[in-house]
Amino acid sequence: MVVMEEFQRLPRQIVVSQRSDSKPHLTDFVVKSTIFSRYAFTAVSSTMVNRAYKPKDAIFQMQIPASAFISNFTMIIGKKVHQSEVTSKAKKSKDKIKEHSGKNDMDSEVEIFTVTVPLPARTKVLFLLTYEELLERRLGKYTQVISVRPMQIIPKLLVEIHLTESSGITFLEVAPLRNSKQTNHPIAASPPPSTKISQTRTTAHIRFSPSITQQAAISETGVLGDFIMRYDVDRELGVGEIQVQNGYFVHYFAPKDLPPVPKNVVFVIDTSGSMAGQKIQQTKEALFTILNDLRPIDHFNIINFSSRIKVWQSGKLVPVIRETLRDAKKYIFQMSPSGGTNINDAIQTASKLLKDYIAQQDKSVRTVSLIIFLTDGRPTIAEIQPRKILNNTKNAVENKFCIFSLGIGKDVDYKLLERMSLENCGVMRRIDEDSDASAQLKGFYDEIGTPLLSDIRVDYSEDSVEYVTQNVFANYFNGSELVIAGKLTNSTVNNLHVQVTASTSDKRLTLEADVIINDTRKSSDNAKGRPSDAKLLQRAWSYLTVKELLRSRLKSGSSRMKEILFDKARNLSLEYHFVTPLTSLSVKSSGDQSSASTENVMNESEVKAERAQALQTLTKPDSTSLQERKKTVVVSKTSADGDPHFVVDFPLSKMSVCFNIDGEPGNILRLVSDQESSGVTINGQLIGAPAPPNGHKKQRTYFSTITIIASKPSRSYIEITPHKVVFDGRDRFILSCDKTIEVEIEGLVVSVTAKSKVTVTIQEFISFVILLHQYKNPAPYQRDHLGFYILNSKGLSSNAHGLLGQFLYSEVQISETAVKASGSARQQNQTQAEGNGKSLGSVIMLNIKDRLVPVVRKQRRIYNGQQQVDCWFAKNNAINLIDGIYKDYLVSNLFETSTSSANQL
């Protein structure tokens, strides 16, 4: 058995196969989630069927919240069950799992779990994935996000949520589907179509089951987005809510109706050169809004840093009044990014400023002090070693205030920011660099903008509890929640004494109560594959304990303590079957030697690319064969390439004919039309470009897009550009022309050779090659364009038409026709006649369908000049050579298949 490698808070992927060709059909995608007292147990099941007569790779993919722990994964292939196992991850030399500065691998909102497994012919596979998480309260609401991205329109799609909160549900909403990182939705926006909600005082049932038509209306690709449910519970001022089950308890403390505590806040803003553009603009917009939300009881200052450190108001924090807000906004407006990133000195300056201010204040006035630190990069100026920066920060802060860190974009040392915040009673948040970054910054501030309590301590009856998670907190912010979990030393006791002490805005607060232990919720309707409800709080305790051990390990500066915390977190993860950074998930394949192991990772923006990439052959040929495959092209003369030059091969007549079509930019030309017989239609759209210097043409035209419509055995649409291929059939694929990949669906094969060509094969007897002409540094008269070649036309009927299709079953003859010496034809053919030894009183005529067409001898180069064709050239837009005139071959859109007038000629 092969086990997974290091499992960090990263996108996750399991690979069970060595080869991948195309994806079996997805028949159902079901997500069922049970939430009991904020703890969510989510089970995902997905069935795929391989209807082909040869093995195919089945790909299962699911986005899960980054805060969640996977607790089980099972595959049932045919009648064989392949069960996952969580095993210990070996300690690395020099503790490589420890904190490190480097890759941007922290705090992504989602992770991608991907499994690829070889599926035998005519067989189905059932994937079962479970994950668990404690829902966090932010801005007064708990939020559950379920990814609904089956990547196909499927017959059965279901999301079902069962919610139970014994204290009572006071607010419940289902937001519109979210297919981006945008977090805000219009007030009173409607839930997704087909959503049904039923609710009592303590329970709620939510069901989302869109039909095929409703799915297609939301997204034709099967990427519906995030299904979001938000809710809140009833609470009163007191010691909070305590849930007890089977000797384990979870204590939720979120008091309401308290006056805000005055806060002292220093904004530390990165204005280095990398912040230029959208990032600084979004930061300024967020700061303008945040300043307006400061309360008159607050005090603040602003520091911006790059290579230098600049303080807005030297040596002090200023009150929130109209004049200071006006001057602060002016200062922010004038911030201009330049220079490097001096993180160490910025934190040192802010810490000294805040400490000096706190020392001067009346000790009877209770306040909350904090630094809000924002950066988009790594330290590049002064002290750049993360460990030294952390030590310097800890010494400067001296536990007198908290640091809340925000990182924007992909170049941030998130491990450094997370440790800096964890060691100084704050949190770190990742801000995605997109159009919604300003709202994300403001949203984060809203979470910490209203402190209600400080210096909080929660105690329980002496000797009545053990294994209690964190019970001392620096601050409590409005809209959040403090959660403590533990184990009762005596599970038969009837009550638990709880004492909460904290500071409000004007006094020291003590709350005490004897909480009656009402452990009445035993095993109930036990869903298949998940623990009974009576064990959910026990798992919530283990979840919180593992999270705390991992945070403590990250903060610890002692190697011995790190090792102790490592062992505790790992052992608990193994006991509860949690996949954490300290454990590995493996899948043992029964009956063969296959097993699952991690191969690589990917982030949210790579999901679509990974899905397409997983369809290609994973066994890579050697570099020599790759070069040969790219350069070697099957010789077919019938083509439309260049600007554009048409070449038609007549093998029965043992000759080739060539012609040009001088269309207009935007014209769409019918190249092949055989819709009624083989079901194939091919159209090409022209793009314009200036002619080369000293040329006789005013402009050139090239094919910018080729579309292939195939209606047999089922309707498929293929759109090809120099940079991507869109393949719409039963599924939708977007393939990059920069990667070698092959997709096959029901006898239609699309094969991309990276940066070289696209080959389309239909039912084995029809095939086309589209050459990719790409320029690294194009001249003004050059455009990335396509060349179209007919490789195999055996499957096209004798009724085929179009600019190229009409010649597939034709024969032609060449004859010499005498003309008068003064004729213009003689002048046109003089040069060619001399070269061929013909008399000046004759022209060469091509006989096709009883039509005579004057032609001259030319040479054409095809396949990027690799092949040379001797051909008879017909002038004047192929007049008399083609049926009708070239304008008869113009169509209104790229996917039009109707028969044109030329087809009837």
mmCIF file of all heavy atoms in Angstrom, residues 144-180:
data_model
loop_
_atom_site.group_PDB
_atom_site.id
_atom_site.type_symbol
_atom_site.label_atom_id
_atom_site.label_comp_id
_atom_site.label_asym_id
_atom_site.label_seq_id
_atom_site.Cartn_x
_atom_site.Cartn_y
_atom_site.Cartn_z
ATOM 1 N N GLN A 144 -22.575 28.173 5.979
ATOM 2 C CA GLN A 144 -22.115 26.924 5.393
ATOM 3 C C GLN A 144 -22.073 27.091 3.876
ATOM 4 O O GLN A 144 -23.041 27.557 3.264
ATOM 5 C CB GLN A 144 -23.013 25.740 5.748
ATOM 6 C CG GLN A 144 -22.445 24.422 5.214
ATOM 7 C CD GLN A 144 -23.328 23.230 5.507
ATOM 8 O OE1 GLN A 144 -24.545 23.340 5.451
ATOM 9 N NE2 GLN A 144 -22.725 22.090 5.820
ATOM 10 N N VAL A 145 -20.945 26.721 3.292
ATOM 11 C CA VAL A 145 -20.753 26.831 1.845
ATOM 12 C C VAL A 145 -20.530 25.430 1.282
ATOM 13 O O VAL A 145 -19.609 24.724 1.706
ATOM 14 C CB VAL A 145 -19.548 27.729 1.501
ATOM 15 C CG1 VAL A 145 -19.357 27.814 -0.007
ATOM 16 C CG2 VAL A 145 -19.735 29.128 2.088
ATOM 17 N N ILE A 146 -21.380 25.016 0.336
ATOM 18 C CA ILE A 146 -21.270 23.700 -0.305
ATOM 19 C C ILE A 146 -21.019 23.912 -1.788
ATOM 20 O O ILE A 146 -21.800 24.576 -2.473
ATOM 21 C CB ILE A 146 -22.545 22.868 -0.092
ATOM 22 C CG1 ILE A 146 -22.721 22.554 1.396
ATOM 23 C CG2 ILE A 146 -22.496 21.577 -0.907
ATOM 24 C CD1 ILE A 146 -24.018 21.845 1.722
ATOM 25 N N SER A 147 -19.931 23.362 -2.274
ATOM 26 C CA SER A 147 -19.579 23.509 -3.690
ATOM 27 C C SER A 147 -20.449 22.597 -4.553
ATOM 28 O O SER A 147 -20.557 21.392 -4.292
ATOM 29 C CB SER A 147 -18.104 23.164 -3.905
ATOM 30 O OG SER A 147 -17.766 23.200 -5.275
ATOM 31 N N VAL A 148 -21.073 23.193 -5.569
ATOM 32 C CA VAL A 148 -21.902 22.422 -6.502
ATOM 33 C C VAL A 148 -21.300 22.615 -7.890
ATOM 34 O O VAL A 148 -21.679 23.503 -8.641
ATOM 35 C CB VAL A 148 -23.370 22.882 -6.478
ATOM 36 C CG1 VAL A 148 -24.228 21.965 -7.345
ATOM 37 C CG2 VAL A 148 -23.901 22.917 -5.056
ATOM 38 N N ARG A 149 -20.325 21.785 -8.205
ATOM 39 C CA ARG A 149 -19.596 21.890 -9.469
ATOM 40 C C ARG A 149 -19.403 20.495 -10.077
ATOM 41 O O ARG A 149 -18.280 19.998 -10.174
ATOM 42 C CB ARG A 149 -18.243 22.563 -9.259
ATOM 43 C CG ARG A 149 -18.349 24.039 -8.874
ATOM 44 C CD ARG A 149 -16.998 24.610 -8.454
ATOM 45 N NE ARG A 149 -17.043 26.048 -8.310
ATOM 46 C CZ ARG A 149 -17.467 26.692 -7.225
ATOM 47 N NH1 ARG A 149 -17.894 25.995 -6.180
ATOM 48 N NH2 ARG A 149 -17.471 28.016 -7.178
ATOM 49 N N PRO A 150 -20.477 19.846 -10.480
ATOM 50 C CA PRO A 150 -20.322 18.503 -11.055
ATOM 51 C C PRO A 150 -19.656 18.501 -12.414
ATOM 52 O O PRO A 150 -19.308 17.440 -12.920
ATOM 53 C CB PRO A 150 -21.771 18.007 -11.155
ATOM 54 C CG PRO A 150 -22.594 19.243 -11.239
ATOM 55 C CD PRO A 150 -21.887 20.263 -10.399
ATOM 56 N N MET A 151 -19.497 19.660 -13.045
ATOM 57 C CA MET A 151 -18.838 19.808 -14.353
ATOM 58 C C MET A 151 -19.651 19.208 -15.497
ATOM 59 O O MET A 151 -19.165 19.094 -16.608
ATOM 60 C CB MET A 151 -17.431 19.182 -14.348
ATOM 61 C CG MET A 151 -16.492 19.781 -13.328
ATOM 62 S SD MET A 151 -16.171 21.511 -13.641
ATOM 63 C CE MET A 151 -15.033 21.886 -12.315
ATOM 64 N N GLN A 152 -20.874 18.822 -15.225
ATOM 65 C CA GLN A 152 -21.768 18.295 -16.257
ATOM 66 C C GLN A 152 -23.203 18.627 -15.866
ATOM 67 O O GLN A 152 -23.501 18.816 -14.693
ATOM 68 C CB GLN A 152 -21.654 16.762 -16.383
ATOM 69 C CG GLN A 152 -20.302 16.229 -16.760
ATOM 70 C CD GLN A 152 -20.305 14.712 -16.773
ATOM 71 O OE1 GLN A 152 -21.331 14.070 -16.984
ATOM 72 N NE2 GLN A 152 -19.151 14.116 -16.545
ATOM 73 N N ILE A 153 -24.069 18.690 -16.849
ATOM 74 C CA ILE A 153 -25.497 18.693 -16.581
ATOM 75 C C ILE A 153 -25.896 17.244 -16.308
ATOM 76 O O ILE A 153 -25.651 16.358 -17.142
ATOM 77 C CB ILE A 153 -26.294 19.249 -17.776
ATOM 78 C CG1 ILE A 153 -25.790 20.658 -18.120
ATOM 79 C CG2 ILE A 153 -27.773 19.250 -17.480
ATOM 80 C CD1 ILE A 153 -26.006 21.680 -17.043
ATOM 81 N N ILE A 154 -26.485 16.959 -15.160
ATOM 82 C CA ILE A 154 -26.689 15.568 -14.760
ATOM 83 C C ILE A 154 -28.151 15.317 -14.400
ATOM 84 O O ILE A 154 -28.875 16.225 -13.987
ATOM 85 C CB ILE A 154 -25.779 15.179 -13.577
ATOM 86 C CG1 ILE A 154 -25.988 16.151 -12.402
ATOM 87 C CG2 ILE A 154 -24.332 15.156 -13.996
ATOM 88 C CD1 ILE A 154 -25.177 15.785 -11.182
ATOM 89 N N PRO A 155 -28.596 14.061 -14.513
ATOM 90 C CA PRO A 155 -30.002 13.725 -14.242
ATOM 91 C C PRO A 155 -30.411 13.978 -12.795
ATOM 92 O O PRO A 155 -31.509 14.445 -12.525
ATOM 93 C CB PRO A 155 -30.083 12.232 -14.584
ATOM 94 C CG PRO A 155 -28.939 11.981 -15.509
ATOM 95 C CD PRO A 155 -27.850 12.913 -15.062
ATOM 96 N N LYS A 156 -29.524 13.678 -11.836
ATOM 97 C CA LYS A 156 -29.878 13.833 -10.442
ATOM 98 C C LYS A 156 -28.837 14.675 -9.733
ATOM 99 O O LYS A 156 -27.674 14.281 -9.615
ATOM 100 C CB LYS A 156 -29.991 12.471 -9.740
ATOM 101 C CG LYS A 156 -30.396 12.586 -8.267
ATOM 102 C CD LYS A 156 -30.462 11.223 -7.592
ATOM 103 C CE LYS A 156 -30.848 11.368 -6.122
ATOM 104 N NZ LYS A 156 -30.891 10.059 -5.437
ATOM 105 N N LEU A 157 -29.256 15.829 -9.264
ATOM 106 C CA LEU A 157 -28.383 16.712 -8.495
ATOM 107 C C LEU A 157 -29.156 17.140 -7.250
ATOM 108 O O LEU A 157 -30.272 17.653 -7.345
ATOM 109 C CB LEU A 157 -27.968 17.932 -9.322
ATOM 110 C CG LEU A 157 -26.867 18.811 -8.718
ATOM 111 C CD1 LEU A 157 -26.085 19.507 -9.822
ATOM 112 C CD2 LEU A 157 -27.416 19.856 -7.763
ATOM 113 N N LEU A 158 -28.563 16.920 -6.083
ATOM 114 C CA LEU A 158 -29.277 17.190 -4.836
ATOM 115 C C LEU A 158 -28.313 17.730 -3.787
ATOM 116 O O LEU A 158 -27.225 17.181 -3.575
ATOM 117 C CB LEU A 158 -29.929 15.909 -4.308
ATOM 118 C CG LEU A 158 -30.562 15.979 -2.914
ATOM 119 C CD1 LEU A 158 -31.742 16.950 -2.909
ATOM 120 C CD2 LEU A 158 -30.984 14.588 -2.449
ATOM 121 N N VAL A 159 -28.720 18.823 -3.138
ATOM 122 C CA VAL A 159 -28.052 19.326 -1.938
ATOM 123 C C VAL A 159 -29.114 19.386 -0.843
ATOM 124 O O VAL A 159 -30.167 20.002 -1.022
ATOM 125 C CB VAL A 159 -27.437 20.719 -2.159
ATOM 126 C CG1 VAL A 159 -26.861 21.248 -0.852
ATOM 127 C CG2 VAL A 159 -26.356 20.666 -3.233
ATOM 128 N N GLU A 160 -28.842 18.730 0.291
ATOM 129 C CA GLU A 160 -29.818 18.654 1.375
ATOM 130 C C GLU A 160 -29.121 18.977 2.687
ATOM 131 O O GLU A 160 -28.059 18.419 2.988
ATOM 132 C CB GLU A 160 -30.437 17.258 1.421
ATOM 133 C CG GLU A 160 -31.764 17.192 2.126
ATOM 134 C CD GLU A 160 -32.469 15.868 1.845
ATOM 135 O OE1 GLU A 160 -31.769 14.841 1.721
ATOM 136 O OE2 GLU A 160 -33.703 15.873 1.745
ATOM 137 N N ILE A 161 -29.716 19.900 3.457
ATOM 138 C CA ILE A 161 -29.139 20.320 4.735
ATOM 139 C C ILE A 161 -30.191 20.113 5.827
ATOM 140 O O ILE A 161 -31.326 20.594 5.709
ATOM 141 C CB ILE A 161 -28.702 21.793 4.707
ATOM 142 C CG1 ILE A 161 -27.653 22.022 3.611
ATOM 143 C CG2 ILE A 161 -28.135 22.213 6.063
ATOM 144 C CD1 ILE A 161 -27.299 23.488 3.410
ATOM 145 N N HIS A 162 -29.791 19.399 6.886
ATOM 146 C CA HIS A 162 -30.632 19.230 8.077
ATOM 147 C C HIS A 162 -29.959 19.993 9.217
ATOM 148 O O HIS A 162 -28.836 19.676 9.611
ATOM 149 C CB HIS A 162 -30.773 17.749 8.435
ATOM 150 C CG HIS A 162 -31.522 16.952 7.414
ATOM 151 N ND1 HIS A 162 -32.891 16.806 7.441
ATOM 152 C CD2 HIS A 162 -31.091 16.265 6.328
ATOM 153 C CE1 HIS A 162 -33.276 16.068 6.414
ATOM 154 N NE2 HIS A 162 -32.205 15.718 5.723
ATOM 155 N N LEU A 163 -30.635 20.994 9.745
ATOM 156 C CA LEU A 163 -30.068 21.874 10.764
ATOM 157 C C LEU A 163 -30.851 21.724 12.063
ATOM 158 O O LEU A 163 -32.084 21.790 12.058
ATOM 159 C CB LEU A 163 -30.129 23.330 10.273
ATOM 160 C CG LEU A 163 -29.818 24.444 11.273
ATOM 161 C CD1 LEU A 163 -28.373 24.337 11.755
ATOM 162 C CD2 LEU A 163 -30.070 25.812 10.636
ATOM 163 N N THR A 164 -30.124 21.535 13.176
ATOM 164 C CA THR A 164 -30.750 21.460 14.494
ATOM 165 C C THR A 164 -29.978 22.355 15.452
ATOM 166 O O THR A 164 -28.759 22.183 15.627
ATOM 167 C CB THR A 164 -30.755 20.023 15.041
ATOM 168 O OG1 THR A 164 -31.465 19.176 14.131
ATOM 169 C CG2 THR A 164 -31.426 19.963 16.408
ATOM 170 N N GLU A 165 -30.670 23.318 16.083
ATOM 171 C CA GLU A 165 -30.083 24.198 17.091
ATOM 172 C C GLU A 165 -31.085 24.288 18.246
ATOM 173 O O GLU A 165 -32.148 24.889 18.111
ATOM 174 C CB GLU A 165 -29.801 25.592 16.521
ATOM 175 C CG GLU A 165 -28.707 25.634 15.473
ATOM 176 C CD GLU A 165 -27.316 25.444 16.059
ATOM 177 O OE1 GLU A 165 -27.182 25.446 17.304
ATOM 178 O OE2 GLU A 165 -26.360 25.280 15.269
ATOM 179 N N SER A 166 -30.740 23.670 19.366
ATOM 180 C CA SER A 166 -31.696 23.563 20.475
ATOM 181 C C SER A 166 -32.047 24.908 21.087
ATOM 182 O O SER A 166 -33.119 25.059 21.689
ATOM 183 C CB SER A 166 -31.139 22.625 21.554
ATOM 184 O OG SER A 166 -29.904 23.117 22.043
ATOM 185 N N SER A 167 -31.185 25.902 20.944
ATOM 186 C CA SER A 167 -31.485 27.214 21.520
ATOM 187 C C SER A 167 -32.468 28.004 20.674
ATOM 188 O O SER A 167 -32.979 29.038 21.107
ATOM 189 C CB SER A 167 -30.194 28.029 21.693
ATOM 190 O OG SER A 167 -29.552 28.202 20.444
ATOM 191 N N GLY A 168 -32.734 27.565 19.465
ATOM 192 C CA GLY A 168 -33.690 28.241 18.601
ATOM 193 C C GLY A 168 -33.005 28.979 17.452
ATOM 194 O O GLY A 168 -31.956 29.602 17.633
ATOM 195 N N ILE A 169 -33.610 28.901 16.274
ATOM 196 C CA ILE A 169 -33.073 29.554 15.077
ATOM 197 C C ILE A 169 -33.785 30.893 14.906
ATOM 198 O O ILE A 169 -35.013 30.948 14.759
ATOM 199 C CB ILE A 169 -33.278 28.672 13.827
ATOM 200 C CG1 ILE A 169 -32.588 27.311 14.015
ATOM 201 C CG2 ILE A 169 -32.750 29.371 12.577
ATOM 202 C CD1 ILE A 169 -32.954 26.284 12.960
ATOM 203 N N THR A 170 -33.021 31.973 14.938
ATOM 204 C CA THR A 170 -33.617 33.309 14.821
ATOM 205 C C THR A 170 -33.493 33.899 13.422
ATOM 206 O O THR A 170 -34.202 34.845 13.087
ATOM 207 C CB THR A 170 -32.950 34.273 15.811
ATOM 208 O OG1 THR A 170 -31.535 34.346 15.524
ATOM 209 C CG2 THR A 170 -33.152 33.801 17.243
ATOM 210 N N PHE A 171 -32.609 33.374 12.633
ATOM 211 C CA PHE A 171 -32.396 33.901 11.280
ATOM 212 C C PHE A 171 -31.962 32.758 10.381
ATOM 213 O O PHE A 171 -31.144 31.919 10.769
ATOM 214 C CB PHE A 171 -31.319 34.999 11.294
ATOM 215 C CG PHE A 171 -30.869 35.440 9.921
ATOM 216 C CD1 PHE A 171 -31.581 36.414 9.242
ATOM 217 C CD2 PHE A 171 -29.747 34.886 9.311
ATOM 218 C CE1 PHE A 171 -31.178 36.827 7.970
ATOM 219 C CE2 PHE A 171 -29.336 35.288 8.055
ATOM 220 C CZ PHE A 171 -30.067 36.267 7.384
ATOM 221 N N LEU A 172 -32.513 32.713 9.164
ATOM 222 C CA LEU A 172 -32.138 31.674 8.202
ATOM 223 C C LEU A 172 -32.324 32.222 6.799
ATOM 224 O O LEU A 172 -33.365 32.809 6.486
ATOM 225 C CB LEU A 172 -33.004 30.423 8.394
ATOM 226 C CG LEU A 172 -32.757 29.268 7.407
ATOM 227 C CD1 LEU A 172 -31.396 28.641 7.649
ATOM 228 C CD2 LEU A 172 -33.858 28.217 7.525
ATOM 229 N N GLU A 173 -31.303 32.056 5.960
ATOM 230 C CA GLU A 173 -31.421 32.457 4.563
ATOM 231 C C GLU A 173 -30.573 31.546 3.693
ATOM 232 O O GLU A 173 -29.566 30.986 4.140
ATOM 233 C CB GLU A 173 -30.983 33.915 4.349
ATOM 234 C CG GLU A 173 -29.496 34.139 4.425
ATOM 235 C CD GLU A 173 -29.060 35.527 3.942
ATOM 236 O OE1 GLU A 173 -29.935 36.343 3.594
ATOM 237 O OE2 GLU A 173 -27.837 35.780 3.933
ATOM 238 N N VAL A 174 -30.998 31.403 2.455
ATOM 239 C CA VAL A 174 -30.194 30.733 1.432
ATOM 240 C C VAL A 174 -29.894 31.779 0.370
ATOM 241 O O VAL A 174 -30.811 32.368 -0.214
ATOM 242 C CB VAL A 174 -30.942 29.534 0.814
ATOM 243 C CG1 VAL A 174 -30.118 28.933 -0.319
ATOM 244 C CG2 VAL A 174 -31.220 28.488 1.884
ATOM 245 N N ALA A 175 -28.620 32.040 0.144
ATOM 246 C CA ALA A 175 -28.202 33.090 -0.781
ATOM 247 C C ALA A 175 -28.223 32.583 -2.217
ATOM 248 O O ALA A 175 -28.252 31.367 -2.468
ATOM 249 C CB ALA A 175 -26.789 33.561 -0.419
ATOM 250 N N PRO A 176 -28.219 33.489 -3.188
ATOM 251 C CA PRO A 176 -28.059 33.053 -4.586
ATOM 252 C C PRO A 176 -26.746 32.302 -4.769
ATOM 253 O O PRO A 176 -25.793 32.497 -4.005
ATOM 254 C CB PRO A 176 -28.057 34.378 -5.365
ATOM 255 C CG PRO A 176 -28.712 35.367 -4.473
ATOM 256 C CD PRO A 176 -28.384 34.956 -3.079
ATOM 257 N N LEU A 177 -26.706 31.439 -5.759
ATOM 258 C CA LEU A 177 -25.477 30.701 -6.031
ATOM 259 C C LEU A 177 -24.340 31.676 -6.307
ATOM 260 O O LEU A 177 -24.503 32.684 -6.997
ATOM 261 C CB LEU A 177 -25.661 29.773 -7.236
ATOM 262 C CG LEU A 177 -26.554 28.553 -6.992
ATOM 263 C CD1 LEU A 177 -26.886 27.876 -8.310
ATOM 264 C CD2 LEU A 177 -25.895 27.570 -6.040
ATOM 265 N N ARG A 178 -23.185 31.371 -5.765
ATOM 266 C CA ARG A 178 -22.015 32.227 -5.924
ATOM 267 C C ARG A 178 -20.958 31.488 -6.726
ATOM 268 O O ARG A 178 -20.473 30.451 -6.317
ATOM 269 C CB ARG A 178 -21.444 32.611 -4.553
ATOM 270 C CG ARG A 178 -20.226 33.525 -4.623
ATOM 271 C CD ARG A 178 -19.649 33.735 -3.220
ATOM 272 N NE ARG A 178 -19.129 32.493 -2.673
ATOM 273 C CZ ARG A 178 -18.665 32.362 -1.430
ATOM 274 N NH1 ARG A 178 -18.723 33.384 -0.600
ATOM 275 N NH2 ARG A 178 -18.179 31.203 -1.005
ATOM 276 N N ASN A 179 -20.610 32.041 -7.879
ATOM 277 C CA ASN A 179 -19.608 31.381 -8.727
ATOM 278 C C ASN A 179 -18.344 32.203 -8.833
ATOM 279 O O ASN A 179 -17.604 32.136 -9.796
ATOM 280 C CB ASN A 179 -20.165 31.134 -10.133
ATOM 281 C CG ASN A 179 -19.408 30.028 -10.833
ATOM 282 O OD1 ASN A 179 -18.681 29.273 -10.199
ATOM 283 N ND2 ASN A 179 -19.560 29.932 -12.136
ATOM 284 N N SER A 180 -18.107 33.063 -7.836
ATOM 285 C CA SER A 180 -16.871 33.839 -7.756
ATOM 286 C C SER A 180 -16.576 34.043 -6.289
ATOM 287 O O SER A 180 -17.283 33.550 -5.414
ATOM 288 C CB SER A 180 -17.016 35.187 -8.470
ATOM 289 O OG SER A 180 -17.914 36.020 -7.761
#
